[in-house]
């Protein structure tokens, strides 16, 4: 196939979530044809699974500018920019209207099973860059299809691959066998059946991020009306000044409030913390309840349920025939990884990145949105919107616009650098650090000067 013919092919976007749909809007704005493939039956399928959870960012930061332009002729009105949507709000009031405006550009029930170069497996060099991509998929009724594309943007996220309870990154011994009492999502306690599962029960919450804060706060609230409800918070590190995030200093106030709510739950006795605990085994007692066993032999009290909130990781299985350049730790693009590595960055700062940092040895393939961060936890929607704005410009041949990354991000207040995520005693430090300072990062010409130890 000749180069001019390749340029007439669509750009395949995998996933009709916030970044995937925004990518389609930016591609259309650039005069390119997108085709969005969504495995689920509706836009924002993954977002809908956490519809009860409120976002940290207000409406003003989760609506993409190009998408808003596309929505304007439909009569769509942006919600109050200062208010905070839930996942359900985001899906129903923005993502689905956007997908509807895109029309046949979005295909539902299309699960991507493989991406490759036409006629070339990953070993073959000859003529590789001159070939289009082939995207293999299965439809909701089980049919197999193959689509030819000029480029592929993988915005499928990481929602389908949550981290396990095992501290070594693999499922703990007994974890799979105890699946009936283990969940990997923040429970929706508005649902009567879910509420009954946790009411009056002892629940272990494993994890140290915002999702764990959300679960602890929800269970503490449930405990107020349901005697016997108690959360056991399992942490791999100690509790220190930054365990609960940025608090009042977090310029994402909704997230800061979550950390404070988790702290209040512990201080009120509705949650107890077990620190420096790396789970190695999950045992089932005679009555069906569970006991977690650490690598140092410590054992928890028996619990009725376990909620594992240890982050997410990218599913790279369907990209095995394209050549990706990924960091060996984060599984993020090699050039992006140093900018987001939680082992290094203790304040969640994100320096300028666009098409250059997101490129791979395989030209024309991009991991975007949450998936581009691999295992790093600090992704913001507006970061993803800037990513796809840059990539769309590059695909359209506007290199100057592609490399002009301009973005203003709030200081996230997320601490945990220098290996703190896995060092039990690290959390016991009460040093000030930079996360207590209120600051806005101007993302554009270059990285801001470091202050306060960051």
């Amino acid at each position: 196939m000749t180069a001019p013919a390749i340029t007439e092919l669509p750009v395949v976007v995998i996933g009709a979530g916030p970044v995937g749909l925004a990518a389609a809007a930016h591609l259309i704005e650039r005069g390119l044809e997108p085709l969005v493939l969504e495995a689920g039956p509706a836009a924002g399928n993954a977002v809908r699974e956490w519809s009860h959870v409120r976002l940290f960012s207000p409406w003003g930061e989760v609506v993409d500018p190009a998408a808003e332009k596309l929505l304007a002729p439909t009569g769509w009105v942006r919600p109050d920019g200062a208010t905070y949507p839930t996942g359900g709000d985001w899906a129903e009031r923005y993502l689905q209207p956007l997908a509807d405006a895109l029309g046949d550009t979005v295909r539902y029930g299309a699960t991507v099973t493989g991406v490759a170069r036409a006629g070339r497996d990953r070993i073959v060099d000859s003529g590789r860059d001159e070939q289009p991509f082939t995207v293999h998929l299965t439809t909701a009724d089980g049919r197999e299809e193959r689509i030819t594309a000029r480029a592929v943007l993988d915005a499928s996220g990481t929602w389908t691959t949550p981290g396990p309870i095992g501290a070594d990154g693999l499922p703990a011994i007994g974890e799979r066998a105890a699946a009936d009492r283990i969940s990997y999502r923040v429970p929706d306690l508005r649902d009567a059946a879910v509420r009954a599962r946790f009411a009056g029960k002892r629940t272990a919450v494993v994890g140290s991020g915002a999702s764990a804060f959300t679960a602890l706060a929800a269970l503490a609230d449930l405990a107020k009306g349901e005697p016997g409800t108690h959360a056991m918070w399992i942490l791999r590190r100690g509790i220190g000044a930054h365990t609960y995030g940025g608090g009042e200093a977090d310029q994402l106030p909704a997230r800061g409030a979550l950390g404070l709510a988790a702290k209040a739950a512990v201080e009120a006795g509705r949650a107890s913390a077990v620190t420096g605990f790396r789970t190695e085994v999950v045992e089932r007692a005679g009555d069906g309840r569970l006991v977690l066993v650490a690598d140092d032999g410590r054992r928890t009290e028996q619990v009725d349920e376990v909620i594992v909130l240890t982050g997410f990781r990218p599913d790279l299985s369907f990209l095995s025939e394209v050549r990706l350049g990924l960091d060996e730790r984060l599984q993020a693009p090699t050039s992006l990884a140093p900018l987001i590595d939680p082992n290094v960055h203790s304040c969640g700062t994100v320096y300028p990145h666009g098409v250059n940092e997101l490129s791979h040895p395989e030209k024309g393939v991009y991991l975007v949105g949450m998936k581009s961060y691999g295992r790093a936890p600090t992704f913001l929607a507006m970061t993803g919107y800037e990513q796809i704005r840059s990539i769309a410009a590059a695909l359209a041949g506007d290199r100057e616009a592609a490399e002009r990354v301009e973005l203003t991000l709030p200081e996230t207040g997320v601490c945990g650098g220098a290996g703190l995520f896995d060092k039990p005693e690290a959390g016991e430090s009460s040093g000030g650090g930079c996360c207590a300072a209120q600051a806005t990062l101007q993302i554009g010409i270059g990285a801001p000067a470091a202050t306060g130890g960051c």
Side-chain angles (χ1 to χ4, degrees), residues 139-331:
T139 63
D141 59 5
R143 290 181 295 107
E144 295 183 63
E145 292 185 22
R146 182 175 60 198
I147 295 171
T148 309
R150 64 173 292 182
V152 177
L153 277 59
D154 183 357
S156 61
T158 58
W159 179 252
T160 59
T161 49
I165 195 173
D168 59 2
L170 298 173
I173 301 299
E175 181 172 350
R176 293 187 180 94
D180 59 318
R181 289 180 179 260
I182 300 177
S183 57
Y184 299 84
R185 304 288 189 265
V186 175
D188 183 1
L189 298 181
R190 302 171 306 174
D191 183 292
V194 175
R195 188 179 182 89
R197 179 175 177 177
F198 296 96
K201 307 289 180 61
R202 293 184 64 83
T203 300
V205 177
V206 184
S208 60
S211 293
F213 294 164
T214 303
L216 288 169
L219 291 171
D221 187 62
L222 178 64
K224 295 175 184 178
E226 296 287 350
T229 304
H230 187 81
M232 180 189 299
W233 188 16
I234 307 296
L235 289 153
R236 293 174 185 168
R237 51 178 168 169
I239 291 182
H242 304 308
T243 298
Y244 299 100
E248 294 178 356
D250 196 329
Q251 286 200 13
L252 298 176
R255 181 172 57 195
L258 267 181
L260 294 176
K263 183 178 182 181
V266 173
E267 292 178 345
R270 296 190 177 94
S272 55
V274 179
T275 61
F277 194 98
R278 294 184 174 93
T279 304
E280 192 171 77
V281 178
V282 179
E283 293 183 356
R284 190 184 292 271
D287 60 359
R289 302 173 80 195
L290 303 179
V291 174
L292 307 185
V293 184
D295 58 0
D296 60 4
R298 283 186 295 158
R299 304 167 64 86
T300 67
E301 299 176 24
Q302 291 185 4
V303 295
D304 300 282
E305 301 286 341
V306 179
I307 301 174
V308 182
L309 300 168
T310 54
F312 296 85
R313 54 191 58 180
D315 176 9
L316 302 169
S317 61
F318 58 86
L319 300 173
S320 62
E321 292 305 316
V322 291
R323 299 171 177 180
L324 301 179
L326 299 176
D327 178 76
E328 63 184 10
R329 291 177 297 174
L330 295 186
Q331 295 179 297

Side-chain angles (χ1 to χ4, degrees), residues 83 93 116-117 343-344 386:
T83 60
R93 300 177 64 185
R117 286 283 188 182
N343 288 293
V344 177
E386 181 63 15

Side-chain angles (χ1 to χ4, degrees), residues 7 10-13 19-34 64 66-67 150-154 353-356 358-359 364-369 383-405:
T7 61
V11 176
V12 165
V13 180
V19 175
L21 293 174
H26 279 272
L27 291 166
I28 290 172
E29 189 174 59
R30 286 285 181 172
L32 304 175
E33 178 189 355
D64 176 77
R150 64 173 292 182
V152 177
L153 277 59
D154 183 357
H353 70 281
V355 67
N356 290 335
L358 296 168
S359 293
V365 171
Y366 302 96
L367 308 185
V368 297
T383 302
Y385 296 156
E386 181 63 15
Q387 289 178 344
I388 48 91
R389 183 208 63 78
S390 174
I391 291 170
L395 291 174
D398 188 347
R399 200 70 195 183
E400 188 277 331
E403 296 182 358
R404 188 183 64 244
V405 181

Side-chain angles (χ1 to χ4, degrees), residues 54-149:
R54 194 166 298 280
L55 277 68
F56 304 133
S57 302
W59 273 112
E61 295 177 359
V62 297
V63 174
D64 176 77
E68 188 167 10
K69 291 178 185 176
L70 192 67
L71 281 164
T74 70
W76 182 83
V77 178
R78 180 209 286 245
D80 182 355
T83 60
Y84 293 82
T86 62
D89 295 333
W90 204 16
E92 291 296 336
R93 300 177 64 185
Y94 168 61
L95 299 179
Q96 193 61 57
L98 176 55
D100 293 343
L102 288 166
D104 292 341
T105 294
V106 182
R107 283 189 58 184
Y108 300 110
T111 301
V112 173
T113 58
V115 178
R117 286 283 188 182
R120 308 287 191 277
D121 63 23
R122 68 180 295 153
I123 299 175
V124 179
D125 291 331
S126 177
R128 189 175 192 87
D129 290 347
E130 288 72 47
Q131 297 301 312
F133 291 96
T134 56
V135 180
H136 294 237
L137 62 91
T138 56
T139 63
D141 59 5
R143 290 181 295 107
E144 295 183 63
E145 292 185 22
R146 182 175 60 198
I147 295 171
T148 309

